[in-house]
Amino acid sequence: MNSIAYPIQMDLTPIFGIACLVLLAGIGIVFYFFIGKSEELRDLKSAYEKIMRSFHELDEQAKLIVKTDLELNKAQEELDRRLKGLGTLQKLARNMRTSLDENEAFQRISPELMTELGFSRTLAAISTEHGILLSKTVISFNQKQAEDALRELEKKPDILNVLKKGQIFSSLSSPHQIRTTITNLFETEHFILAPLLTQKGLIGFILTGNRYNAPAVTEGDEELIGILASQLAQTIENAQLFEQVYRSTQMLETKVNERTKELSLALKEVETISQKKSEFISAVSHELRTPLTSIKGYASILMTGKIGDIPEAVKERLGKINLHSDNLVKLINDLLDIARIESGRVEMKTALHSIKPMLNNIADLLTPQLSTKDLILRIQVQADAPDIEFDTSQVERVFINLISNAIKFTLPGGIITLNAIPQWDKNILLCEVADTGIGIKKEDVARVFDEFYRVDNQINMTVKGTGLGLALAKNIVEAHDGRIWVSSELGVGTTFHFTLPFKHINKELPNPS
Amino acid sequence: MVKSQTNLTHHDLILVTATPAYTAPANPHTISGLDQLHKILNPERLIGMTTPVIILKDEIHLKGVAVLAISSDEIGIGIAAQQTISLLPLQETGIRFARDLASRMSASERHGAIIFCNNIGINHSLLIRGLQEGLGRAFNIAGAINPDGMFCQNQLFTDSLGGIIFGGQTSFFSSIRHGWQPLGKPRIIDDCDSNLIRSIDGKPAVSIYQDYFPDSFVGAKSVQLTGNLGDIGLLYPLGLNTSRPKDYIIKNPTAVLPDGSLVCQGEIARGTEVHLMIGDKDACRRSAHDAAVDIRDKLHGKHPRLVFIFISIARKKLFGRSFWQEIAQIKDILGIACPIFGMYTYGEIGATAASDLQIHNASILVIAIG
């Protein structure tokens, strides 16, 4: 049987359409999701980029922080170095300041302290008057190397002239050529060369630094070494001044000693002469007094007429011999007293006395003379005047001498006043003999106490005197540790003042020296 | 002076620290000085290290020699030293050294050890790993790294490792802090080898410093830049992120290689986030305070018998003239009646709460023997 196969005829179009629709929907959905995701991705990418940007910005800020921090660290390090340097410099300065010796000042720059400042090599030198440089501090240089460098430097006026102006050279700031010259001279790569300047000018220099492979010097180092150099120069100047002052003092002392020696010798000579003079006067006076006594004795005998009558004219002459003999005896006695007091042979016999009774006695004694000239004598002893220690006979002589002078130079009707005033603050009794006499010329005031000095006036021309009374009074007052002086006004009057100490009176007479 | 203070004829340990001028190998007085110490103090053990700055209870010295004498029936002490460490495999050297040190007393007696190393250029992480293997990972280890010399008995060593082990009827506590703060964006160490950081963020490692301090690199091409970063490296160390947030281990790069790589102390892991760090004086002072408080807490109110303080030289740079303030703060908190002996260092060895035993820089390490 033949079979006929009939293909099944199906219409696939709708299925295809549906499939296409599904596919399109799928694509649409995928496309929708894809668009959505890609937006998300875009957002994510943008966020990532933003984060990365921030990250980089933060890193850039970190770089800035690091840069600042590094600078801060460097600043701190420099500050630390400077502080340490200043501390060391202070130690160095203190060490140097305590020295008044130039060499010692240089020795105080020790290797330890220079190492603390950061320098292993130091050479300090001082210049002589002839411009030769002498090494004084040598650290890490051998002596020959130092001397060679100094000799070479002496031949470098360009460097020395700049140093004279106070300029510092350093491996940090000096021009290349100079830097190389100094480096080669001192075999020191990192260096500071500072002048030692005083008021005299350049007196030397200090070079310090490190050889090679060492940290470079800084501005701070320059400043520190500059200060050190000026401190050192100051110390040297002080040491030199001290040396000068010391030498001057020594010279002065030597001169003073020499002069003192000369003066002592001269004084000794004067003393010897004075002693001889006193001895001479004493001897001559003694020798004169004996024959005078005989002359006076014989004249007296003749005048009595026991040997025979003598004519009136002879008697008159004999009277004159007697009078002149008395004057001569008084002169000789005064001379003898002065000589004795000066030579220390008279001892003041001091005892406690009241001044007033003594003055009254003197007044009684001198009443005839006062009456003759119609003079008034006033005694004014202050009520609280104490008893004081003095040699009554000697002080009496002082008063008699002074009052006699007052009588002599006061015109009739005048007043003579004796004052005794205690001065408790000075522990003295001030005695005064004041007159209303003719007064003394200014030029004579200073000399009235000189031996044999007689003021040139009308009265002295007519009235004879020895010129020894005031000299004797002065000697006696001074033997009592007192002082005598005069004040006078011509035509108004004269006052003699002298003092007697209350308590202490030298029993022994002072040595004239 | 020590003899007059202790008035003893024999001492268990003499610890010496001196500034470099006194310990230069060429200085003939160094050895004669050690001989003198032996003659006068007759110590059973003598060990010590050079330091730029000596810390004592009431004094800080930039120049000098300090001597600490210990004599005790209760405190057990042992010392060991190893020379020429840079020529030896470091981890094995660390193990051998630790075993040598441990052999000085029984395991039950041992409480802690102080390690001194005077080579700053090696990979100290390997040494530390060796030490931990030898002494145990939980064992208290603290220490200091400084250049120059190390004293052991009557010898002066260079390139060496030394240590003191403490034990007996005592306790040993240490605390280490830094206080430096991160600055700028974090970067990633993408190439490193042991203690060498080759590249950061795809650029030579030194670029982190070049970015922040362009002025310091003027005239120097990065490929020619060798030597060290000087003060910049000390004042702006690198801070490596630890597992804890806001916790960093500080590294001062000790050298820059011609290719721009940075040499550090201790190993650095690839992928570590790194920051440039900046010194905040307040935070640093606070860190000293925190270290002292930590020690006080660990002592549970007991007074320490002896305190060691090791402070990074970077902190001296940061604080300048007021560097003594940190020490004063520690003294205030620990109410010190006991001796203090310490030094400034170029590397501090210690463990923090967040990290295992490590080499730290720019940090302060306080050790108390209770």
Side-chain angles (χ1 to χ4, degrees), chain B residues 83-363:
Chain B
Q83 284 194 80
T84 58
I85 51 170
S86 63
L87 304 176
L88 304 168
L90 292 172
Q91 193 161 343
E92 285 94 86
T93 302
I95 296 170
R96 270 200 299 274
F97 176 82
R99 285 178 185 157
D100 183 15
L101 198 58
S103 69
R104 312 290 163 153
M105 61 185 68
S106 66
S108 60
E109 277 185 322
R110 300 193 288 259
H111 292 304
I114 296 177
I115 304 296
F116 300 124
C117 177
N118 70 340
N119 186 334
I120 60 168
I122 55 169
N123 182 359
H124 298 92
S125 295
L126 292 173
L127 268 183
I128 285 175
R129 215 170 286 153
L131 288 171
Q132 283 188 308
E133 270 185 53
L135 287 163
R137 291 190 69 80
F139 192 72
N140 280 319
I141 297 173
I145 300 166
N146 263 336
D148 304 316
M150 181 186 290
F151 317 109
C152 187
Q153 300 300 38
N154 52 2
Q155 284 182 283
L156 179 69
F157 294 161
T158 53
D159 185 22
S160 53
L161 184 66
I164 314 166
I165 190 161
F166 290 92
Q169 294 165 42
T170 186
S171 52
F172 183 102
F173 301 111
S174 69
S175 186
I176 189 162
R177 297 283 193 280
H178 61 82
W180 298 73
Q181 302 297 315
L183 190 75
K185 63 183 181 187
R187 290 166 161 84
I188 301 293
I189 297 172
D190 43 26
D191 188 6
C192 63
D193 180 12
S194 180
N195 62 334
L196 197 70
I197 307 174
R198 290 193 201 284
S199 111
I200 297 172
D201 278 357
K203 291 193 275 185
V206 74
S207 65
I208 190 169
Y209 285 100
Q210 285 171 320
D211 278 357
Y212 285 99
F213 307 96
D215 296 346
S216 305
F217 291 86
V218 170
K221 288 179 185 168
S222 62
V223 286
Q224 291 171 339
L225 189 72
T226 53
N228 61 54
L229 290 166
D231 290 352
I232 293 175
L234 283 177
L235 284 170
Y236 306 95
L238 298 176
L240 309 180
N241 260 102
T242 66
S243 51
R244 282 189 177 187
K246 291 186 180 179
D247 190 54
Y248 302 90
I249 289 172
I250 309 296
K251 299 284 179 188
N252 291 123
T254 54
V256 183
L257 299 184
D259 64 353
S261 301
L262 297 174
V263 182
C264 297
Q265 291 174 342
E267 267 174 11
I268 287 137
R270 188 187 299 254
T272 307
E273 201 177 273
V274 63
H275 269 281
L276 188 79
M277 305 297 277
I278 189 166
D280 170 8
K281 285 183 191 172
D282 286 336
C284 284
R285 261 192 293 268
R286 208 162 42 244
S287 69
H289 171 274
D290 292 348
V293 168
D294 186 31
I295 289 286
R296 189 181 62 191
D297 294 346
K298 285 173 179 168
L299 284 165
H300 296 298
K302 279 187 190 169
H303 288 294
R305 296 188 204 185
L306 173 63
V307 170
F308 293 99
I309 303 175
F310 300 147
I311 307 177
S312 168
I313 196 72
R315 298 170 84 89
K316 184 174 178 293
K317 193 94 198 151
L318 175 73
F319 280 104
R321 281 168 62 83
S322 53
F323 68 100
W324 53 270
Q325 288 176 347
E326 288 192 299
I327 301 157
Q329 213 159 17
I330 295 168
K331 274 166 65 178
D332 281 351
I333 291 159
L334 293 178
I336 296 300
C338 69
I340 291 180
F341 197 80
M343 53 190 168
Y344 274 79
T345 57
Y346 281 84
E348 301 77 50
I349 302 169
T352 65
S355 68
D356 200 1
L357 190 67
Q358 289 247 13
I359 304 290
H360 299 257
N361 291 126
S363 301

Side-chain angles (χ1 to χ4, degrees), chain A residues 93-111:
Chain A
R94 202 171 40 229
N95 280 357
M96 289 189 305
R97 259 205 313 271
T98 51
S99 168
L100 281 172
D101 179 79
E102 191 180 299
N103 289 328
E104 205 180 300
F106 279 105
Q107 279 161 20
R108 302 251 167 123
I109 305 171
S110 67

